[in-house]
Amino acid sequence: MENFKVRFVPLGGVVGVTKNMYVYELYQGDVLQDILLVDCGIGFPQEKELGVDFVIPDISYLVDKVDKIRGLLLTHGHEDHIGAVPYLYDKLGKPQIFTSKLTAMFVANKVKEFAISPDITVVQYGKDYSFGGFQARFIPVTHSIPDTMHILIKTPAGSFYHGPDYKLDLTPPYGSPPDFYEIVKAGKDGLLCVMSDALGAERDGLTLSESIVGQTFEDEMRKTKGKFIMTTFSSNISRIRQCCEAAIKFNRSIIFLGRSMRENTRLSSEIGYLPIPESLMGKEEDAARLPPNKICLIVAGSQGQYDSALYKIARKQNKNIRIKSGDKVIFSSDPIPGNENEVYALIEELSLQGAEVIYSDIQEQLHASGHGSREDLKFLMRFTHPKYLLPIGGNIRHQREYQKLAVDLGYSKENVLLLNEGETMWFMKNDAEAGETVETKNIYVDAYGVGDVGNVVLRDRKTLSSEGMVVALIIVDGRGAMVARPRILSRGFVFEKNEDALYEDAAKLIEKTIRPNTERILDMTALKRETAKILENFFYEARGRRPLVVVDTIEV
Amino acid sequence: MENFKVRFVPLGGVVGVTKNMYVYELYQGDVLQDILLVDCGIGFPQEKELGVDFVIPDISYLVDKVDKIRGLLLTHGHEDHIGAVPYLYDKLGKPQIFTSKLTAMFVANKVKEFAISPDITVVQYGKDYSFGGFQARFIPVTHSIPDTMHILIKTPAGSFYHGPDYKLDLTPPYGSPPDFYEIVKAGKDGLLCVMSDALGAERDGLTLSESIVGQTFEDEMRKTKGKFIMTTFSSNISRIRQCCEAAIKFNRSIIFLGRSMRENTRLSSEIGYLPIPESLMGKEEDAARLPPNKICLIVAGSQGQYDSALYKIARKQNKNIRIKSGDKVIFSSDPIPGNENEVYALIEELSLQGAEVIYSDIQEQLHASGHGSREDLKFLMRFTHPKYLLPIGGNIRHQREYQKLAVDLGYSKENVLLLNEGETMWFMKNDAEAGETVETKNIYVDAYGVGDVGNVVLRDRKTLSSEGMVVALIIVDGRGAMVARPRILSRGFVFEKNEDALYEDAAKLIEKTIRPNTERILDMTALKRETAKILENFFYEARGRRPLVVVDTIEV
């Protein structure tokens, strides 16, 4: 009867950084007893610039065993750990959710517009919770959002320390430092495997404390004669609070801009995590009438996102807020790899309008990563000293670097388990072996729905992003006869203004193609296809590129 | 009956870095019950260049209560923690000594020539030891010598964590990392005060792991065609072992030079801390016959000490070892403040003879401090989170920096207790207040004895060191008549070779002073005194300096 084992199934997060979702299954013999889920986040795939907003975990694997799910534990309130709850909660059989205070608040708010009402328990620390054969104990740690937790998961087959996103912040600006006693005690009592954040495994040293940034805000605000504008991730409540505290000190009205920024700060205020005196709570309209040195704007859009609050300010689309000389814009977050162009374009734009723009390339201590660096990661290994280590929340490069660190600490390579998404591990008393791989696919979500973006669409978007697009419009009359010179537009291909001749030639080519055939165009579809093919070849010969060519007809 | 309190008395170490010795006294009401001593080290005072070898703690305060001493606990084997044992052991009433394996070995060896035989117990970890009303628990930590410990001292008046010299080395080359569980458990159970190493409080970040240095040795040895010569503190057994391991890899014979180096390595070998194959154990004489690329010399004298093994090599006084082009000398220790001149002179000398000299100014990762930097110190604060903190083992500057760190972590300044030597604290349940100051003086030890170097001698040495010395020799015949021109020598005053005229004038002045008086010198003492006075004035007028002037007579 003692024949217990645990299967660990990463449905995401393990090599993709985001889309975190982990399945712990407890078996007795070959019989599945209980399932415990940890996190349920959205992912930001490489295709995100192609109009895919995000991806969610593929839970096909769980579909026929939702009755065994004993709980869904959420470690912290970042989108890549909780964002998929609205999409998957019902499909998972509406499991009870266990999480911390702020995270509970975020989740409850998130599901509102989805008409689902999850059962959420705010956990207490220093207490064991039972989930069938699993026992879980929540441990407060530090990250870039308050109320982040690690989870000690005890099972008859051994104990696991689930340790996603964290840094060892000894001086967090709010809340307590990591509970070192609980962490080390977990190690003392014996751990079979530690699943550890590995995202910072390429960075030397310890990650800076979040509180470093507060001093920087204060110093910069002191020197600012105009408006003070700070942008960061809207979930980084600690940082936002530090900026607010500086604003309060200098008696500046605080104005939050951007939907997520307003929502998150409102929720945090409600539970006392963001105390701002009523007199300094500003509205967007106030920005137009207050003296610039009485304004502190805290704005979404730090990644240069199209149409974000900061983007609109930079593009002069916000009528209440115009950048003037003397204003200062602080980017308190680094560009996520892939977003550099958008961010630097924004910086350029803001600078041109007279703002002094401060970002981490020119000023250190503006942004402290929320993820531990090598020394943080090594400390956790030493604190917990499990038999196995399993890096999560990074990519393959981070996994490998994490493995090297573990080897430096005396682990054998084999005891550092590097899994791809869907690859599983069996854990039994004091041992681990690879299990069958679970098939997963990306479920795309965009503004229009879940899963309706297929591969064809993505391929087009891919082309668009790398080669640009040419649109040829053929203008016909009611009888289908071409009545004007075809109109050619392009975006992202070659710069139109300098290429009049090229487009002129293309238009002539279309005329030449169509005219000789017939006065009356009968098969519009065939015509479009043929014209597109001719244009594709033309542009390739002329410029060596293959833009996406779209041909359409307009009847006048 | 519950009226317990503890008096903490630092007899040294608290602001002087070295000469560590701490007294814990347990009182019930006003009645002293038990005394527990921690460490008993020598000090290296500022006057060391004046011929004082070292100082030892002044134990006058303890003299009339040695019967209450229940034990002497030694935290690690460095001289500034154990070096005074031979001088003070008997005077302390021969208390039982409790310490770790290597430290026990060092102490036992040290006392041999003093004809005392202390009772030494090698402690076990994870076990409570009773010393009257005190209970002590030894906790392994990491430093630059193996077997370093911290001590949890439990009393009816509260618990203390005595945490001298340490760094949080997660990858010590030998031995285990700090026992984090014991440390955080001590904090969890509640601590009234933590006495913490503060020496690294000015350095940012975490201190490098000792194991970094091993890789550097290997890299440097690989590139060395001639002799490989490494110098460091002879107590830094971990580092010496790493150098030996590199030598073994490259099949070089290992030759230890210098008394302390030979002694310490022999003792460490005996307990298995320094395994070297018999075939590679070399002797000094072997250096003359082995090919240079088969030699690894590990040499005392890293501080440029006069007459040390390295000093002799640099000054070509070692007939077996001559520096040649292709040799490499590695200084794997930084100059202790005050020793820079000697060290750089040695580097210069060795370079002139053709050696490539590597030291930390030109190559990082040659020397990792044994003491924790700011982040190490903050970790210990967070691990133990006592009510009070008390920095030890630094100077006043380090104490202040340590206090700042504690304030960053939320301590109030008042709860960080900054003591001078002899200043005491009373601790009672959950509270601390300053006690009466205990008078201490420096007890000087030099090659000739303990305590026989008085203030006059020190003043002379001081003058010598800053102004130099002039010796005038008056040559007289058997009748006391001056029979030759007085001979004048000087050192450290003005450079003799360029000052022939000056010394010539001085000699003439002596002749003029003596001749007119009498053919026969009767009162030699008066003559010497008078001549000295005249010369002092002469040199002061001529050069504006006051060298120490010594006049003596030689009878021919």
Side-chain angles (χ1 to χ4, degrees), chain A residues 50-109:
Chain A
L50 307 178
V52 170
D53 289 332
F54 49 83
V55 295
I56 57 173
D58 178 359
I59 57 163
S60 318
Y61 172 70
L62 293 170
V63 163
D64 57 359
K65 34 188 166 182
V66 291
D67 60 307
K68 302 290 188 194
I69 296 174
R70 308 293 174 223
L72 167 58
L73 320 184
L74 302 175
T75 57
H76 63 284
H78 278 156
E79 287 296 325
D80 58 333
H81 291 257
I82 63 168
V85 170
Y87 305 98
L88 300 178
Y89 186 72
D90 283 356
K91 290 183 188 146
L92 291 170
K94 308 184 182 186
Q96 202 175 354
I97 293 176
F98 290 78
T99 190
S100 55
K101 198 165 160 190
L102 184 65
T103 316
M105 200 84 180
F106 278 13
V107 173
N109 184 64

Side-chain angles (χ1 to χ4, degrees), chain B residues 120-278:
Chain B
I120 309 180
T121 301
V122 174
V123 300
Q124 288 180 287
Y125 297 127
K127 189 179 152 181
D128 285 320
Y129 291 84
S130 286
F131 302 95
F134 292 101
Q135 275 207 313
R137 206 175 160 85
F138 299 88
I139 301 176
V141 295
T142 42
H143 183 38
S144 49
I145 183 170
D147 285 6
T148 296
M149 314 188 297
H150 282 176
I151 309 171
L152 168 61
I153 299 171
K154 292 181 268 189
T155 81
S159 293
F160 303 85
Y161 183 93
H162 194 88
D165 309 25
Y166 75 96
K167 62 176 165 182
L168 300 180
D169 193 339
L170 299 178
T171 52
Y174 316 103
S176 42
D179 189 332
F180 292 115
Y181 177 72
E182 287 281 336
I183 298 171
V184 298
K185 179 68 161 50
K188 180 77 171 177
D189 292 342
L191 288 166
L192 188 48
C193 187
V194 167
M195 285 68 177
S196 167
D197 183 6
L199 194 62
E202 294 178 321
R203 264 196 321 258
D204 269 333
L206 278 174
T207 296
L208 283 179
S209 167
E210 191 65 29
S211 56
I212 296 288
V213 186
Q215 193 50 54
T216 310
F217 285 154
E218 215 179 297
D219 294 346
E220 291 296 337
M221 208 177 281
R222 183 175 292 114
K223 293 184 288 180
T224 304
K225 296 205 163 57
K227 297 191 286 294
F228 188 89
I229 303 176
M230 193 277 278
T231 182
T232 189
F233 296 109
S234 61
S235 61
N236 198 331
I237 298 302
S238 300
R239 187 156 308 166
I240 292 165
R241 176 162 169 178
Q242 293 193 91
C243 187
C244 290
E245 290 193 345
I248 293 166
K249 206 164 207 165
F250 292 102
N251 206 31
R252 287 178 181 254
S253 282
I254 297 159
I255 302 170
F256 296 111
L257 291 185
R259 183 168 173 275
S260 61
M261 189 61 84
R262 277 199 310 271
E263 276 294 280
N264 284 346
T265 53
R266 181 181 62 77
L267 294 170
S268 303
S269 293
E270 278 178 26
I271 54 171
Y273 283 29
L274 196 59
I276 299 171
E278 193 60 45

Side-chain angles (χ1 to χ4, degrees), chain B residues 109-127:
Chain B
N109 183 64
K110 183 174 290 297
V111 297
K112 267 186 200 158
E113 54 196 79
F114 288 81
I116 55 176
S117 43
D119 178 359
I120 309 180
T121 301
V122 174
V123 300
Q124 288 180 287
Y125 297 127
K127 189 179 152 181

